[in-house]
Amino acid sequence: MKITLSVIKADIGGFVGHSTTHPEVVNKVKEVAEAGKEKGIILDTSVITCGDDIAIVMTHTHGIDAEPVHKLAWDAFIAGTEVAKKLKLYGAGQDILSDAFSGNVKGMGPGVAEMEFEERKSEPVIVFFADKTAPSAWNLPLYEMFADPMNTAGLVIDPSMHDGFTFEVMDVYSGKAIRLKTPAELYDLLVFIGATSRYVVRAVYRNSDGEIGAAASTQKLSLMAGRYVGKDDPVLIVRAQSGFPAVGEVLEPFGRPWLVEGWMRGSHTGPLMPVSFKEAKPTRFDGPPRVIAAGYQICEGKLIGPNDLFDDPAFDYARERATQLANFLRRQGIFEPHRLPPEEMEYTTLPKVLEKLKDRFKDIGEPKAKAPGSGEGEIHE
Ligand code: 13P
Ligand code: 13P
Ligand code: MG
Ligand code: MG
Ligand code: MG
Ligand code: MG
């Protein structure tokens, strides 16, 4: 059976501040999603949360970008927003950027990851869900899962994966995408996806037959709204086993934390901490950034799960290490590189302060520098 797995997520109100969701809001979202199942729009649904974000995981047969499915998720978030407003939760309706639904949630605030496939004899999938970060957080682990044999032994020892995988990479500013084949074009791929502020991995396909292995949400909220509206807090779907990385190979990159953007006011770098569902409640300096892994076996379109995959003491070291890194970075307060550079910050007073003090900048006889990559002129002209 050909099925579509859609994960649509939004922050519709934080309890308290931006730390977590409120059960009444989550229950309302679940109620609307479940009603969509009764009406036959979807085959099954599972609602998961990470920090102040809610994701609706859905299986159905309408393909990707399907209006009834996107409308169902939209209606669930609108209904949840009403509850959040009633409770005066923080940022009620935060990621709902439009008043009216028009065919598809893309560009309207919620993040979307979707893929269509023929359900295998056994179909293990993992939905990763992160808070206080951005879609570029998936670049490093996707590279390790699908292109690094030091992480994924299967790339070397499993004949069904030995031809490697193709990455679809999107430039978030132009909206254009490029497909790069690994291992042949690995170094070209890394030139792009190492530049996390601009390029994000959108999907991964198996070279031998073009089968999809991963799909990520790539929506950049601040670019949609033209102003700070919180971080994108992304989702990622990965299929595992039988021609794809094993579940343990998919989870392995999270065994050692790395730094991502999006902590405090969307304007700081912090370690991504893999946590169990109940620990996905970022409070320290509104973080550090969290990621959960919800495992499902799909059976005739039904979602068997979720299994809380980071609820494993083997990830304790990563959590401990992330706390050490958080301490180290916090030492640096408002100073870069803990605080993001001005172009990357989600909000900044720099233009206002510059405007106020511009007449006090005096020529001291130093040569004028060229802004890197942007032709003539000063960086903050
Ligand atoms: P089991 O024998 O526990 O099924 O392990 C299979 C395997 O290869 C896991 O990577
Ligand atoms: P959220 O995108 O999770 O709402 O984060 C907002 C923020 O900047 C918290 O400090
Ligand atoms: Mg929020
Ligand atoms: Mg959030
Ligand atoms: Mg957010
Ligand atoms: Mg087994």
Side-chain angles (χ1 to χ4, degrees):
M1 180 169 58
K2 206 160 197 168
I3 61 149
T4 308
L5 176 60
S6 299
V7 184
I8 305 187
K9 54 84 35 188
D11 172 352
I12 52 173
F15 170 64
V16 171
H18 290 284
S19 66
T20 184
T21 49
H22 191 281
E24 282 184 37
V25 175
V26 179
N27 285 339
K28 178 52 82 177
V29 170
K30 270 187 195 159
E31 190 187 305
V32 177
E34 288 288 342
K37 193 164 120 185
E38 306 306 313
K39 286 181 202 147
I41 301 169
I42 53 173
L43 295 170
D44 203 2
T45 179
S46 163
V47 173
I48 54 177
T49 65
C50 184
D52 58 0
D53 289 77
I54 303 174
I56 311 173
V57 182
M58 294 170 285
T59 47
H60 56 93
T61 53
H62 302 280
I64 64 164
D65 287 329
E67 173 158 358
V69 176
H70 281 229
K71 173 88 165 60
L72 176 63
W74 179 261
D75 289 345
F77 288 132
I78 295 294
T81 296
E82 277 168 30
V83 177
K85 283 187 173 154
K86 197 184 75 203
L87 298 173
K88 290 176 70 178
L89 296 185
Y90 195 71
Q94 179 179 280
D95 291 354
I96 305 297
L97 302 182
S98 169
D99 294 334
F101 180 79
S102 60
N104 190 303
V105 296
K106 280 184 188 160
M108 301 180 79
V112 189
E114 296 184 291
M115 53 164 76
E116 188 181 29
F117 50 78
E118 193 69 44
E119 189 181 297
R120 292 171 291 169
K121 195 164 74 155
S122 178
E123 188 63 65
V125 299
I126 302 174
V127 175
F128 291 97
F129 189 11
D131 189 35
K132 304 300 178 274
T133 187
S136 60
W138 307 133
N139 286 10
L140 184 151
L142 280 170
Y143 152 65
E144 290 189 334
M145 286 172 212
F146 288 97
D148 180 4
M150 295 300 276
N151 179 86
T152 298
L155 291 166
V156 179
I157 67 176
D158 179 352
S160 66
M161 289 172 66
H162 200 74
D163 288 343
F165 291 87
T166 290
F167 287 66
E168 184 175 58
V169 177
M170 188 177 102
D171 172 348
V172 293
Y173 290 98
S174 72
K176 290 184 181 169
I178 179 173
R179 287 193 183 198
L180 293 158
K181 204 169 181 164
T182 67
E185 297 179 301
L186 178 62
Y187 297 164
D188 291 335
L189 171 74
L190 291 172
V191 165
F192 291 112
I193 69 172
T196 50
S197 54
R198 178 146 199 161
Y199 298 96
V200 293
V201 180
R202 221 171 95 87
V204 180
Y205 302 91
R206 187 164 58 201
N207 288 340
S208 58
D209 56 3
E211 193 63 21
I212 190 158
S217 62
T218 50
Q219 289 73 28
K220 215 166 153 85
L221 270 174
S222 59
L223 299 182
M224 282 182 235
R227 63 188 152 83
Y228 179 67
V229 280
K231 265 292 168 198
D232 316 298
D233 306 327
V235 283
L236 167 68
I237 307 170
V238 182
R239 294 170 81 193
Q241 308 287 157
S242 310
F244 295 114
V247 167
E249 290 168 336
V250 174
L251 299 176
E252 180 59 12
F254 299 88
R256 292 164 299 149
W258 66 95
L259 300 179
V260 297
E261 61 175 78
W263 194 358
M264 181 48 84
R265 297 171 188 271
S267 302
H268 293 76
T269 291
L272 187 61
M273 185 187 269
V275 289
S276 66
F277 296 172
K278 75 172 186 336
E279 289 172 332
K281 207 167 144 183
T283 53
R284 181 185 176 186
F285 198 54
D286 286 0
R290 297 303 146 98
V291 58
I292 61 162
Y296 298 92
Q297 288 287 155
I298 299 179
C299 172
E300 313 296 341
K302 292 265 174 255
L303 291 159
I304 311 301
N307 183 337
D308 184 356
L309 296 169
F310 286 143
D311 185 14
D312 173 357
F315 288 99
D316 282 351
Y317 171 76
R319 297 187 262 269
E320 174 63 30
R321 185 83 187 115
T323 302
Q324 290 164 2
L325 288 166
N327 282 339
F328 178 79
L329 287 165
R330 287 302 303 129
R331 164 70 187 88
Q332 208 142 326
I334 194 70
F335 293 83
E336 295 177 22
H338 177 30
R339 196 200 70 184
L340 295 172
E343 322 79 79
E344 280 299 304
M345 275 198 295
E346 293 288 350
Y347 50 104
T348 172
T349 40
L350 186 65
K352 273 195 182 139
V353 176
L354 268 177
E355 180 57 29
K356 184 177 74 179
L357 299 178
K358 68 175 190 294
D359 296 335
R360 288 174 50 190
F361 276 94
K362 302 293 177 207
D363 205 332
I364 55 168
E366 288 289 324
K368 191 171 167 176
K370 286 179 183 167
S374 63
E376 298 293 315
E378 289 160 9
I379 296 178
H380 303 298
E381 223 164 36

